[in-house]
Amino acid sequence: MCTGGCAKCLGSTLIPLALFGFLANILLFFPGGRVIDNNDHLSEEVWFFGGILGSGVLMIFPALVFLGLKNNDCCGCCGNESCGKRFAMFTSTIFAVIGFLGAGYSFVISAISINRGPKCLMDNSTWGYPFHDGDYLNDEALWSKCLKPEDVVPWNLTLFSILLVVGAIQMLLCVIQVVNGLLGTLCGDCQCCGCCGGDGPV
């Protein structure tokens, strides 16, 4: 498979991941699946828009660039006519780095939020963060410290875990495209990268 074909495969995978991350972040604005009365009661990390900006918007553009690379025609490895394709592959590595940074941002925000736990109404009738250093992850009994919103602990934990996994997969795919793009830059669009199957030029 040519590097352009490999890039299309990666782009096709990144698009649904970006939409999945976007949706997960939107759902975080409804803790426990309910509309909250006061936005100040939402966890701070929700407002960092890790899934919307990092895994979402900043990933859509690289994915579209990767998809467009498949339209290049193969004209022989290291041939003069492939100069435009080489530049396109080099450009794709830049977008891959941008995508990696966006996914990394979402990954870090999610990891911090999982470790910190959700913001909720505590026993002393104040809103805050009752957990410390992820202690609630290994002791489900501690979840009772959160009185409201109902089910906010599993809700936040599930959605931020999804964003964590999505970000990790996106970073991996972007690293693959950096390598794939460099191969395309150095050897032309018909350098096989072995991604997603296939042997010949596409």
Side-chain angles (χ1 to χ4, degrees):
M1 174 186 286
C2 294
T3 51
C6 181
K8 181 180 181 181
C9 176
L10 296 175
S12 299
T13 306
L14 287 171
I15 290 290
L17 285 174
L19 295 177
F20 203 34
F22 192 95
L23 177 61
N25 201 150
I26 292 295
L27 291 176
L28 284 168
F29 284 96
F30 305 94
R34 301 171 181 84
V35 177
I36 198 166
D37 296 331
N38 189 340
N39 287 336
D40 291 336
H41 296 163
L42 289 171
S43 299
E44 291 179 358
E45 292 79 13
V46 175
W47 295 103
F48 293 157
F49 301 109
I52 295 176
L53 293 178
S55 289
V57 175
L58 288 178
M59 194 57 61
I60 290 294
F61 294 109
L64 294 177
V65 170
F66 301 164
L67 288 172
L69 293 174
K70 177 61 174 63
N71 296 326
N72 291 333
D73 294 326
C74 263
C75 29
C77 194
C78 300
N80 292 331
E81 296 180 8
S82 66
C83 289
K85 299 173 182 61
R86 292 169 189 266
F87 179 76
M89 293 305 298
F90 175 74
T91 302
S92 76
T93 63
I94 298 176
F95 278 93
V97 171
I98 294 174
F100 179 88
L101 294 176
Y105 172 75
S106 178
F107 182 89
V108 170
I109 294 299
S110 300
I112 292 174
S113 182
I114 290 174
N115 183 66
R116 189 182 190 186
K119 188 176 186 179
C120 60
L121 180 65
M122 300 181 292
D123 292 332
N124 57 6
S125 299
T126 62
W127 288 80
Y129 299 89
F131 309 121
H132 305 282
D133 298 325
D135 56 356
Y136 73 102
L137 296 174
N138 297 319
D139 189 356
E140 192 170 330
L142 294 177
W143 295 11
S144 60
K145 289 184 176 182
C146 275
L147 303 180
K148 290 184 179 181
E150 295 181 15
D151 301 321
V152 66
V153 177
W155 183 267
N156 272 34
L157 181 58
T158 299
L159 292 175
F160 274 116
S161 295
I162 290 174
L163 287 175
L164 190 76
V165 173
V166 167
I169 296 174
Q170 288 176 328
M171 285 192 291
L172 176 61
L173 295 179
C174 285
V175 168
I176 293 175
Q177 178 53 30
V178 168
V179 176
N180 182 52
L182 291 176
L183 286 175
T185 302
L186 295 174
C187 297
D189 190 38
C190 286
Q191 173 66 30
C192 293
C193 66
C195 176
C196 302
D199 299 318
V202 180

